[in-house]
Amino acid sequence: MLQRWQQWNRKAILWLWVIAIIGVIAALPIGMNRMNMEASSKSVEYVFDYRDLVEISEYQTRPQQFIDEQLEKMKGAGITTMSLYESSLKELSQAGRLKYYSSKDIALLQSKLEPVGQNFTYILFSGKEEEEKIGPIIRQAMDHAGATYRPWSFDGRNGLVVEMPLQSVLLQPMDFDPITLQTLHDKGFHILARFSDRVLPYDEAATDAQLARLKEVGVTRVLFDGATVKGFKDQVELHSLNSFAELLNKYGMGIATIENLKKPQSGINKLAYITNYNIVRLYSLSAEDAIGKSPEVLTDRFLLAAKDRNIRMFFLNAGVQTSLEKSAVVSGLDNLYITMKGKDGLVQRMTDEGFSPNLAQPFDVKHPSYIKPLKMVVAAGAVALIALLINVFIPGTLIPLYLIGLVGAAGLFQINSPLAEQALALGAGISAPTLALVWVMNRVYSRTEGSLRTVGGAAWNGRAGAPGEGKWVFEGLTVGRRLGLAVIWFIVTALISLMAVPFVFGLLNNITYSMVLQQFRGVSLLHLAPIGLTAIYVLLYTGNSPVRRIRKFANMPITVFMVVAFVVIAVVGMYYLSRTGNEGSASSLELTFRNWLEQTFGVRPRSKEFLLAHPLLLAGLFLALRYRAAWVFIIVGSIGQLSMVDTFAHIHTPLYISIIRVFLGLGLGAIIGLILIGVWQVVEGVWRKWSPGLIKKITE
């Protein structure tokens, strides 16, 4: 019975590989659907923060004239959109719509004593238009705040007295400045409206009227200011998120989500879902970078954001700094103009890459009927791949493992579909490269087992003073045969590792991943688990039985060398993990090198793949067929197999970019690996020719 079960298990290995391959094939149409989606939106929108322009104008001799001049320059530079916030008393004053005073200030203005027991706010409008258009939004805000107010005039100008301290009035949110909205619209700018979700209760009727006014000046997209989207705070009581989303749909408005926030804005996922993912990703350039970064750096950064991260909206800030060298206050405006204008400027280079300046459009998300059944096949293939990996460490359990895995995956899909998709994608992402590394280790072991001899004393193929003294050297294969096997194994190992890729994009095909509303968790585990599992397999499952090996390691005395080696490996591992995922950092030198790669190849291959991992894997396979110590190169080279899969775990990167990046890295890495092998052969030949005489002279 046991023998028959083992036969069934061996046959099951073949069938599960077939199922896994079928899963790979089933994922390909899903990948094509994603590529079509990613190609559906190519226009980019350049947005400037109008609040920054107003604040910069306060440092100028004639603020309004300065604003008008800069708006014309911005249009000439390619900026198409102005971002406008909901107003406050301070911002209305900065825009020249009014002036405000405290009771103390107004007493000084009138050359009177400050009223005793009174701390009111006094507002004077700049003119009749301001009184007619700004007055209603101030009164509306004061009504929301429950404040008492009355008409007031001074020196021929009309205003209001608000029976509330000035600091409290300054904190009250107000509607958008209608004069600025109309002015920007008349000058030909699109407007990006920035909403907040401040303390005031959500008012559906007021929000409806507000969006209607914004629609009149051409607003098509909104952005949120703060940690929450509009309507989030009152969702439980008023279902305000649903109401706001429906109003956005009513007026044909979408939303923008800001890249690289420490925490996503609360409510953004629900809002995106109800608006049918009428959403674009936005990159925000800080005021500091607008001043401090060169035009070349800014251009490369924006290009990479559009090509590699599906960014379609660029939000430009420009603050002010004092310059002692120039004895003046400087802003980032001039640097932005230089960056954007000209035949080598940002706008032209973006256009050359296929990203024309216009209103940012959401991706056209289609849900063909074939996606769901194909996804089920992909899930079954992922379970097969995971079962094959477990069977490597627990032989004879493949059939029950697969059946249990199918039932468990089906149940998890019913309970939490996104969790099931991520779990299977992560499992397949770990399994494929681990199986590839186990396979190639077995090939090396089978080729070298039984062909070992100890190089003792001073013997190296009959010559004295060999460099491999006291180490293991393998015999029996010519250089050409070793090179041929190394190249074939390198290719097969990469192909097995890449089997994980279709499972990643086949299971995680939701638009929420492309928009980073939802992220693929477990990247750190993906980078460590295959290396650890392969190490366990090599230590316990090659040679003697695992039980004997465990006993041997358990009885092995701990030395200082082991402790030092463990510490070194731990430090290297921590650094390795710090460079993975979206939060990894890079030095300025590395960033310069990355930009050069981008300009040279169009798509930047991962440097750790083609400069380190792939060359060392190929060279390690070649050398491991002769030198036992060369296995360490294979271990380091395994990082490249994991990195290839991780490239596709960055789902916000267009799929075709990831494909080019991986195969470009493999090609360049193979070339560098062949060069390393050639250099080694030359050095080894020189050493074998000259070392006996050199050692003889030293010993004499």
Side-chain angles (χ1 to χ4, degrees), residues 183-230:
T183 300
L184 294 176
H185 176 69
D186 293 344
K187 288 182 177 293
F189 286 100
H190 303 298
I191 295 168
L192 177 67
R194 295 208 67 170
F195 282 90
S196 64
D197 191 36
R198 299 183 184 175
V199 181
L200 296 179
Y202 177 80
D203 187 329
E204 182 174 7
T207 303
D208 191 342
Q210 188 179 44
L211 291 178
R213 291 192 295 272
L214 293 173
K215 186 67 177 180
E216 291 177 358
V217 291
V219 173
T220 60
R221 195 163 301 280
V222 302
L223 179 66
F224 300 103
D225 180 28
T228 62
V229 305
K230 186 176 180 64

Side-chain angles (χ1 to χ4, degrees), residues 63-126:
Q64 190 56 52
Q65 180 181 335
F66 175 82
I67 290 176
D68 292 337
E69 291 173 353
Q70 297 307 311
L71 289 175
E72 290 301 318
K73 288 184 179 180
M74 289 179 186
K75 286 184 65 177
I79 295 173
T80 58
T81 304
M82 284 289 144
S83 169
L84 199 62
Y85 292 79
E86 291 173 301
S87 297
S88 67
L89 197 65
K90 179 180 179 181
E91 290 176 0
L92 291 171
S93 175
Q94 289 176 323
R97 311 295 179 219
L98 51 80
K99 292 295 181 183
Y100 56 81
Y101 308 91
S102 66
S103 293
K104 181 178 181 179
D105 294 332
I106 205 66
L108 292 174
L109 188 64
Q110 296 175 334
S111 301
K112 296 180 180 179
L113 294 175
E114 179 181 354
V116 178
Q118 177 181 306
N119 189 11
F120 294 167
T121 299
Y122 293 79
I123 300 171
L124 280 178
F125 297 111
S126 299

Side-chain angles (χ1 to χ4, degrees), residues 459-524:
W460 173 301
N461 292 337
R463 294 186 176 91
E469 184 173 0
K471 301 203 187 309
W472 290 99
V473 174
F474 307 118
E475 294 182 331
L477 295 175
T478 64
V479 172
R481 181 61 175 157
R482 286 162 58 202
L483 180 60
L485 286 173
V487 172
I488 292 172
W489 291 349
F490 177 79
I491 294 172
V492 174
T493 301
L495 290 176
I496 297 174
S497 296
L498 288 173
M499 280 189 67
V501 170
F503 293 107
V504 173
F505 66 67
L507 290 165
L508 308 180
N509 68 316
N510 197 294
I511 183 64
T512 56
Y513 294 103
S514 297
M515 293 290 101
V516 198
L517 299 172
Q518 188 171 206
Q519 295 198 53
F520 179 28
R521 305 296 177 183
V523 173
S524 296

